[in-house]
Amino acid sequence: MFRLPKFAIPAIVVIIILVILIIKSTIIIDSGQAGVLYKTFSGGVVTDEPPMGEGFHIVAPWNKVFIYEVRQQEVFEKMQVLSSNGLEIKLDASAWFEPKREFLGKLHQEKGSEYIQRVLLPTIRSAARSVVGRYTPEQLYSSKRDAIQAEIYEETKKIVDGQYIQLNEILVRDVTLPGTIKEAIERKLKQEQESLEYEFRLVTATKEAEKVTIEAQGKADANRILSASLTNMILRDKGIDATLELAKSPNSKVVIVGNGDSGLPLILGNN
C-alpha cells in the first residue's frame, strides 16, 4: 500500500493555507469604484491616503477593503410637503450625486456605507419642505417649478458639501396637488387665458378703428385742400384741356368752340 511521506501532509496543509491567504489578500476593484482600506492592527480606516483605484490589489489578509461606487448615481424620493397655505402637496424628486473621491475614507469613517439614507435623503426632504412652504399651490402648479427645483438644489448642496458628498443636480419630476385644488387652478388659468384673449381682440379692434379714422381724416383733409385750390380759372383751363383731348377722339364729328352755361366749349357730334 502506497504511503505519503511524513512531510507531505504538513506541506499540503501549508499550501492550502497559502492559497487561502492569497485569495483573501487579493482585491479587484471594478470600473467606477474605489476602495477604502481598513488596517486592523494599525490605525483603522486610512484617511490620509487616496482611496484604492480600479484594478488588482494585494492587501494583508487581516486588513479589509470597503468598496464604494464613485460614479454619478441617482436616488429617487417621494415626499409629502405643505404649501404656504397648509395644503398637502406630493412631490417626486431625484438627485444626481457622487461621493467625493478624495474624502472617501472620511465618508466611510464618519457616515458609513449607508450615507445615502443617513445624510443625503434626509437633507433633500428637509430642503424640499422648507422651499415648498414658501409657495402657494398655484405657483407650484404653474410657473415656479424651475425656481423650486433650483432652491432645493442650493439648500441641499450647502449641507451635503460638508458631508463629503458632491451634489450635481436636483430634479423635480412631478408635483401632485389635491384633485379639487388642481381643478380650481385649471379653471382659474382658463379664465385668465380667455380674459387675455378678449383684451387682445379689444386692443386689435381699437387699433383698427383708429386706423380707419386716421385714413378718413386724411381723405377729408385732402378734399378740403383740393376744394380750396380749385378756382374758376383753373376749372376752365382743365375743361379746355379735356375738350381738346376729346376732339382728338375718332368718335367726335364736329367741334364748336363757344361758351356754354359753364363757360366751356361746346361739342356737337354723334358716335
Side-chain angles (χ1 to χ4, degrees):
M1 182 177 179
F2 176 76
R3 291 184 179 182
L4 291 174
K6 292 182 179 180
F7 62 87
I9 294 177
I12 292 173
V13 172
V14 169
I15 292 173
I16 292 173
I17 292 174
L18 288 175
V19 170
I20 293 173
L21 289 176
I22 292 172
I23 292 173
K24 291 182 64 67
S25 299
T26 58
I27 298 294
I28 297 177
I29 299 177
D30 292 333
S31 299
Q33 297 180 335
V36 175
L37 180 61
Y38 178 86
K39 294 182 177 180
T40 305
F41 301 112
S42 54
V45 178
V46 176
T47 58
D48 55 353
E49 296 178 7
M52 300 169 65
E54 301 171 3
F56 179 82
H57 300 270
I58 296 178
V59 297
W62 50 84
N63 293 335
K64 298 178 182 178
V65 176
F66 296 90
I67 297 177
Y68 281 80
E69 184 86 15
V70 292
R71 287 178 291 206
Q72 178 173 279
Q73 304 165 63
E74 184 174 24
V75 62
F76 295 87
E77 182 69 359
K78 294 180 180 289
M79 298 165 279
Q80 290 185 339
V81 294
L82 298 179
S83 64
S84 61
N85 56 0
L87 288 175
E88 188 175 88
I89 309 296
K90 293 181 180 179
L91 192 71
D92 289 358
S94 66
W96 293 350
F97 71 97
E98 57 193 86
K100 294 183 178 180
R101 183 187 292 263
E102 65 273 23
F103 298 110
L104 200 57
K106 285 284 188 180
L107 178 67
H108 178 74
Q109 186 179 56
E110 298 180 16
K111 314 302 175 186
S113 59
E114 302 296 322
Y115 69 94
I116 297 174
Q117 288 73 28
R118 292 177 179 174
V119 178
L120 183 59
L121 291 179
T123 305
I124 293 174
R125 287 192 289 266
S126 175
R129 291 190 182 98
S130 174
V131 171
V132 173
R134 304 170 193 160
Y135 294 95
T136 64
E138 291 86 350
Q139 292 172 323
L140 296 172
Y141 184 75
S142 55
S143 60
K144 294 297 183 180
R145 183 172 298 191
D146 289 342
I148 292 166
Q149 181 172 285
E151 290 179 27
I152 294 175
Y153 168 77
E154 292 297 334
E155 292 203 11
T156 305
K157 183 177 175 62
K158 283 191 296 186
I159 297 175
V160 300
D161 264 352
Q163 305 296 320
Y164 318 117
I165 303 170
Q166 177 180 313
L167 183 66
N168 297 332
E169 190 63 84
I170 291 286
L171 303 175
V172 174
R173 300 186 175 275
D174 189 32
V175 177
T176 305
L177 304 178
T180 54
I181 301 300
K182 181 180 178 180
E183 292 174 1
I185 292 173
E186 289 176 348
R187 286 196 300 270
K188 180 180 177 182
L189 292 175
K190 183 179 179 181
Q191 291 171 356
E192 290 176 352
Q193 184 64 33
E194 291 174 349
S195 176
L196 290 174
E197 290 177 0
Y198 175 77
E199 290 179 5
F200 174 77
R201 291 197 298 269
L202 187 62
V203 169
T204 302
T206 302
K207 289 183 178 180
E208 187 65 27
E210 291 175 353
K211 178 183 177 182
V212 172
T213 302
I214 292 171
E215 290 177 352
Q217 185 64 44
K219 291 179 180 179
D221 292 343
N223 290 335
R224 185 170 57 254
I225 294 171
L226 181 60
S227 298
S229 65
L230 292 177
T231 64
N232 289 335
M233 292 299 296
I234 291 175
L235 291 173
R236 186 176 294 111
D237 288 341
K238 295 292 185 182
I240 292 171
D241 291 339
T243 302
L244 293 175
E245 289 296 326
L246 184 60
K248 298 176 183 178
S249 171
N251 295 325
S252 299
K253 299 303 182 179
V254 180
V255 177
I256 300 175
V257 179
N259 289 332
D261 294 338
S262 62
L264 296 177
L266 294 177
I267 300 174
L268 297 178
N270 51 30
N271 294 332

